[in-house]
Amino acid sequence: MIKIHFIGGKSIEGKVYSIDPVTHSIVIQNDSKFSIINPENIQQIEGEIPSVPSEDVPQSITNPQALQGLEKQEARSLHQAEKKISEMNNRVSPEVQALFDRLNFIYPCVWSGDSIMVVDQFRIDPPYTAANATKLADVGNEESFNRFIKVLEGENKKRNKLKAVSSG
C-alpha cells in the first residue's frame, strides 16, 4: 500500500497495480477502482513502490494480440484527430465553423480559403447563405443542388435561432 499526495493537496491511497514504462504513469488499485496517476502531478509518495511487476497483472496487458488491437485503435484515433484538425479554419467565426461541421456531417466538405467546398460540386462563399452558394460548372445536377440549398437554408435557420436566443 502506498499513499500519493498530489500538487494541490489531494491524495489517494491504494496498491500499485502497474507502472507504464513509457509514460511512467502509476496505476493504483483501491478496492475495485483503478486510478491512473500522471507522475507530473505527484508531490510526494509515502510507502514503497514495488520494482517487480505484480504477478496478478492480467494476461491481456502482455498479450501481443491485445497490443496490436490497441495500436490499430490508436492509429484510427490519430487519423480521426488529424482529420478534425484539417477541417478547422481559424479565419472564420466559431458559428461559421459550426455550420461547416454540421454540413460536413451530411456532405463531405473541405475549406478552400474562406469558402466551403461541398462534395466537389458546390461552393459556399461568405456570408454562407443560399444566395452565396454556387454549383460548380458541369458537376452534379440541378436537383442535388436544390436539395443541398434546402439543407443549407435549414442549417442557417437553426444558426439564426441560436443567435436570437443567445442575444436576448
Side-chain angles (χ1 to χ4, degrees), residues 122 141-151 153:
F122 319 123
N141 61 34
E142 203 62 36
E143 186 178 316
S144 64
F145 181 66
N146 291 335
R147 202 170 25 248
F148 167 71
I149 292 298
K150 286 186 188 281
V151 170
E153 288 171 340

Side-chain angles (χ1 to χ4, degrees), residues 41-109:
N41 297 328
I42 298 174
Q43 184 175 28
Q44 178 187 359
I45 298 176
E46 294 178 18
E48 291 287 321
I49 296 178
S51 59
V52 183
S54 172
E55 290 183 18
D56 58 352
V57 173
Q59 187 63 28
S60 63
I61 290 177
T62 57
N63 182 344
Q65 291 169 335
L67 290 175
Q68 284 178 338
L70 288 174
E71 289 169 352
K72 286 179 183 176
Q73 183 179 357
E74 179 185 27
R76 203 170 29 254
S77 296
L78 183 60
H79 175 72
Q80 288 173 343
E82 288 171 344
K83 185 176 185 286
K84 268 294 189 199
I85 289 171
S86 73
E87 293 169 351
M88 293 174 57
N89 186 343
N90 61 358
R91 295 187 308 233
V92 298
S93 70
E95 69 179 29
V96 171
Q97 182 64 50
L99 172 66
F100 174 91
D101 293 339
R102 287 191 307 272
L103 290 173
N104 194 32
F105 183 76
I106 301 166
Y107 300 98
C109 297

Side-chain angles (χ1 to χ4, degrees), residues 99-100 102-112 115-125 128 132-136 139-140 144-145 147-149 151-152:
L99 172 66
F100 174 91
R102 287 191 307 272
L103 290 173
N104 194 32
F105 183 76
I106 301 166
Y107 300 98
C109 297
V110 295
W111 285 105
S112 176
S115 298
I116 301 173
M117 302 297 290
V118 183
V119 292
D120 294 329
Q121 296 180 11
F122 319 123
R123 185 180 73 233
I124 315 166
D125 296 315
Y128 309 102
N132 298 88
T134 55
K135 184 171 86 95
L136 301 177
V139 181
S144 64
F145 181 66
R147 202 170 25 248
F148 167 71
I149 292 298
V151 170
L152 178 60

Side-chain angles (χ1 to χ4, degrees), residues 1-7 9-19 24-29 35-49:
M1 293 287 281
I2 67 168
K3 186 172 187 178
I4 297 177
H5 298 275
F6 299 102
I7 298 169
K10 292 186 178 184
S11 63
I12 188 170
E13 197 169 337
K15 175 181 145 192
V16 175
Y17 183 79
S18 176
I19 299 174
H24 305 291
S25 296
I26 302 171
V27 179
I28 299 293
Q29 180 181 8
S35 301
I36 300 173
I37 313 297
N38 182 337
E40 294 175 6
N41 297 328
I42 298 174
Q43 184 175 28
Q44 178 187 359
I45 298 176
E46 294 178 18
E48 291 287 321
I49 296 178

